[in-house]
Amino acid sequence: PGGTSLGEEVRRIVKSPDIPASPMAQLALILASRAQLNDEVFESIRRTKRQRAMVVLDRYIPSTYAYRPDIPEFLVDDVHELFSFPKPELYLFLDAPMEVLMERVSANKSVADRFDHQAREVIERRIKDYRYLAEKFEGVVINTNKDLDTVAQDILETVTRKLRL
């Protein structure tokens, strides 16, 4: 969640390890944030897209699946259909070997939130979920186990090729 005043407040609540939230409450909060983003921001995005500009969103619909704690996938599918959230033309999934990803999570221990510092098995499951979601959403997987300039070039080439820019 984020991108609007409401979304930033929802992010604070959802990520806080000090505020108990059931799985359904977390999902409802995340969807409320996305609905607000849709109402506040996406209309201007739609106008911009008519002018052939590119819009980049970080952690969109697939994140709802990956971070859904104990909520069946079909329910998340149904909710997204109900809200009619805009669907991107291209999904990019940034990936690396499991150990590299786990090292990156460990290196960021200065931030304490509900999600990023859970038990290793929970994080590994989320990584596997994202790999599954890359297939579900017909996304392109970008290997990030390279230097930053090479990863940036891979992303640019993929976007250019897939969106025929």
Side-chain angles (χ1 to χ4, degrees):
T4 65
S5 296
L6 176 71
E8 293 304 320
E9 189 63 21
V10 168
R11 176 195 300 256
R12 185 188 68 74
I13 292 167
V14 167
K15 292 185 84 170
S16 173
D18 301 323
I19 301 173
S22 72
M24 289 302 286
Q26 289 179 46
L27 178 62
L29 286 165
I30 289 167
L31 293 170
S33 173
R34 189 163 299 134
Q36 186 68 26
L37 183 73
N38 191 39
D39 289 347
E40 263 186 56
V41 179
F42 281 0
E43 188 51 42
S44 65
I45 290 172
R46 285 184 194 97
R47 285 192 301 274
T48 302
K49 282 184 73 168
R50 284 193 283 274
Q51 298 169 15
R52 288 301 299 155
M54 185 180 302
V55 177
V56 178
L57 298 171
D58 178 27
R59 293 191 178 203
Y60 190 52
I61 292 173
S63 293
T64 310
Y65 290 86
Y67 284 84
R68 69 182 197 287
D70 306 319
I71 296 173
E73 183 176 331
F74 76 86
L75 180 58
V76 181
D77 287 338
D78 291 348
V79 169
H80 281 108
E81 287 303 314
L82 175 69
F83 277 86
S84 300
F85 294 126
K87 293 186 173 55
E89 294 176 54
L90 174 65
Y91 283 102
L92 296 178
F93 291 84
L94 307 182
D95 199 6
M98 183 70 73
E99 285 308 313
V100 172
L101 295 172
M102 293 306 297
E103 286 173 21
R104 290 175 182 171
V105 169
S106 296
N108 195 21
K109 288 285 187 191
S110 63
V111 178
D113 68 42
R114 181 188 318 267
F115 297 109
D116 292 331
H117 301 295
Q118 294 174 324
R120 180 182 175 101
E121 59 272 6
V122 173
I123 295 169
E124 287 177 349
R125 186 183 75 222
R126 189 169 307 116
I127 291 166
K128 288 177 184 171
D129 285 348
Y130 269 116
R131 289 175 176 160
Y132 159 75
L133 292 166
E135 292 178 32
K136 176 182 177 85
F137 287 93
E138 300 175 357
V140 176
V141 178
I142 304 289
N143 179 0
T144 64
N145 196 24
K146 304 173 186 178
D147 66 89
L148 187 58
D149 289 337
T150 303
V151 172
Q153 186 63 37
D154 289 350
I155 291 170
L156 180 61
E157 288 172 4
T158 300
V159 169
T160 301
R161 184 179 69 253
K162 291 288 187 176
L163 299 181
R164 295 180 184 89
L165 302 177

Short mmCIF file of all heavy atoms in Angstrom, two decimals, residues 21-31 69-72 75 79:
data_model
loop_
_atom_site.label_atom_id
_atom_site.label_comp_id
_atom_site.label_asym_id
_atom_site.label_seq_id
_atom_site.Cartn_x
_atom_site.Cartn_y
_atom_site.Cartn_z
N ALA A 21 -3.31 -7.63 13.18
CA ALA A 21 -4.26 -7.57 12.07
C ALA A 21 -4.45 -8.98 11.53
O ALA A 21 -3.49 -9.66 11.18
CB ALA A 21 -3.74 -6.64 10.97
N SER A 22 -5.68 -9.41 11.46
CA SER A 22 -5.98 -10.74 10.92
C SER A 22 -5.67 -10.76 9.42
O SER A 22 -5.58 -9.70 8.79
CB SER A 22 -7.45 -11.08 11.15
OG SER A 22 -8.26 -10.30 10.28
N PRO A 23 -5.53 -11.93 8.84
CA PRO A 23 -5.29 -12.00 7.39
C PRO A 23 -6.34 -11.26 6.57
O PRO A 23 -6.00 -10.52 5.63
CB PRO A 23 -5.31 -13.51 7.11
CG PRO A 23 -4.85 -14.12 8.38
CD PRO A 23 -5.45 -13.26 9.45
N MET A 24 -7.61 -11.43 6.91
CA MET A 24 -8.66 -10.74 6.14
C MET A 24 -8.59 -9.23 6.34
O MET A 24 -8.85 -8.46 5.41
CB MET A 24 -10.04 -11.28 6.52
CG MET A 24 -10.30 -12.69 6.02
SD MET A 24 -10.14 -12.86 4.23
CE MET A 24 -11.64 -12.05 3.71
N ALA A 25 -8.25 -8.79 7.56
CA ALA A 25 -8.12 -7.35 7.81
C ALA A 25 -6.97 -6.78 6.99
O ALA A 25 -7.10 -5.70 6.40
CB ALA A 25 -7.91 -7.09 9.30
N GLN A 26 -5.84 -7.50 6.92
CA GLN A 26 -4.71 -7.05 6.11
C GLN A 26 -5.11 -6.94 4.64
O GLN A 26 -4.80 -5.94 3.98
CB GLN A 26 -3.54 -8.01 6.25
CG GLN A 26 -2.86 -7.96 7.60
CD GLN A 26 -1.72 -8.96 7.67
OE1 GLN A 26 -0.91 -9.06 6.76
NE2 GLN A 26 -1.65 -9.69 8.77
N LEU A 27 -5.79 -7.95 4.13
CA LEU A 27 -6.23 -7.92 2.74
C LEU A 27 -7.17 -6.74 2.50
O LEU A 27 -7.03 -6.01 1.51
CB LEU A 27 -6.92 -9.23 2.36
CG LEU A 27 -7.47 -9.30 0.93
CD1 LEU A 27 -6.36 -9.16 -0.10
CD2 LEU A 27 -8.23 -10.61 0.72
N ALA A 28 -8.12 -6.52 3.40
CA ALA A 28 -9.07 -5.42 3.24
C ALA A 28 -8.35 -4.07 3.24
O ALA A 28 -8.67 -3.18 2.42
CB ALA A 28 -10.12 -5.47 4.34
N LEU A 29 -7.37 -3.91 4.11
CA LEU A 29 -6.62 -2.66 4.15
C LEU A 29 -5.83 -2.44 2.86
O LEU A 29 -5.83 -1.34 2.29
CB LEU A 29 -5.67 -2.66 5.35
CG LEU A 29 -6.32 -2.46 6.71
CD1 LEU A 29 -5.36 -2.83 7.83
CD2 LEU A 29 -6.81 -1.03 6.86
N ILE A 30 -5.17 -3.48 2.38
CA ILE A 30 -4.39 -3.37 1.15
C ILE A 30 -5.30 -3.03 -0.03
O ILE A 30 -4.98 -2.18 -0.86
CB ILE A 30 -3.60 -4.67 0.92
CG1 ILE A 30 -2.47 -4.76 1.95
CG2 ILE A 30 -3.05 -4.73 -0.51
CD1 ILE A 30 -1.80 -6.12 2.03
N LEU A 31 -6.45 -3.67 -0.09
CA LEU A 31 -7.39 -3.39 -1.18
C LEU A 31 -7.98 -1.99 -1.07
O LEU A 31 -8.20 -1.33 -2.09
CB LEU A 31 -8.48 -4.45 -1.22
CG LEU A 31 -7.99 -5.84 -1.60
CD1 LEU A 31 -9.09 -6.87 -1.38
CD2 LEU A 31 -7.48 -5.88 -3.03
N PRO A 69 -1.72 -13.55 3.61
CA PRO A 69 -1.45 -14.56 4.64
C PRO A 69 -2.65 -15.49 4.80
O PRO A 69 -3.72 -15.07 5.24
CB PRO A 69 -1.20 -13.73 5.90
CG PRO A 69 -1.91 -12.44 5.64
CD PRO A 69 -2.01 -12.25 4.16
N ASP A 70 -2.50 -16.70 4.40
CA ASP A 70 -3.52 -17.74 4.62
C ASP A 70 -4.87 -17.43 3.98
O ASP A 70 -5.91 -17.82 4.52
CB ASP A 70 -3.70 -18.00 6.12
CG ASP A 70 -2.38 -18.32 6.80
OD1 ASP A 70 -1.60 -19.08 6.20
OD2 ASP A 70 -2.13 -17.82 7.90
N ILE A 71 -4.87 -16.74 2.85
CA ILE A 71 -6.11 -16.45 2.14
C ILE A 71 -6.05 -17.20 0.81
O ILE A 71 -5.07 -17.09 0.08
CB ILE A 71 -6.30 -14.94 1.92
CG1 ILE A 71 -6.45 -14.24 3.27
CG2 ILE A 71 -7.50 -14.66 1.02
CD1 ILE A 71 -6.48 -12.75 3.19
N PRO A 72 -7.08 -17.96 0.47
CA PRO A 72 -7.05 -18.74 -0.77
C PRO A 72 -6.88 -17.86 -2.01
O PRO A 72 -7.44 -16.76 -2.10
CB PRO A 72 -8.41 -19.44 -0.81
CG PRO A 72 -8.95 -19.34 0.57
CD PRO A 72 -8.32 -18.15 1.22
N LEU A 75 -9.95 -16.44 -3.81
CA LEU A 75 -10.59 -15.30 -3.19
C LEU A 75 -9.91 -14.00 -3.63
O LEU A 75 -10.57 -13.01 -3.95
CB LEU A 75 -10.57 -15.42 -1.66
CG LEU A 75 -11.21 -14.28 -0.89
CD1 LEU A 75 -12.67 -14.08 -1.27
CD2 LEU A 75 -11.09 -14.52 0.61
N VAL A 79 -11.68 -10.92 -5.70
CA VAL A 79 -11.67 -9.55 -5.20
C VAL A 79 -11.09 -8.61 -6.25
O VAL A 79 -11.61 -7.52 -6.47
CB VAL A 79 -10.88 -9.47 -3.87
CG1 VAL A 79 -10.62 -8.03 -3.47
CG2 VAL A 79 -11.63 -10.20 -2.76
#
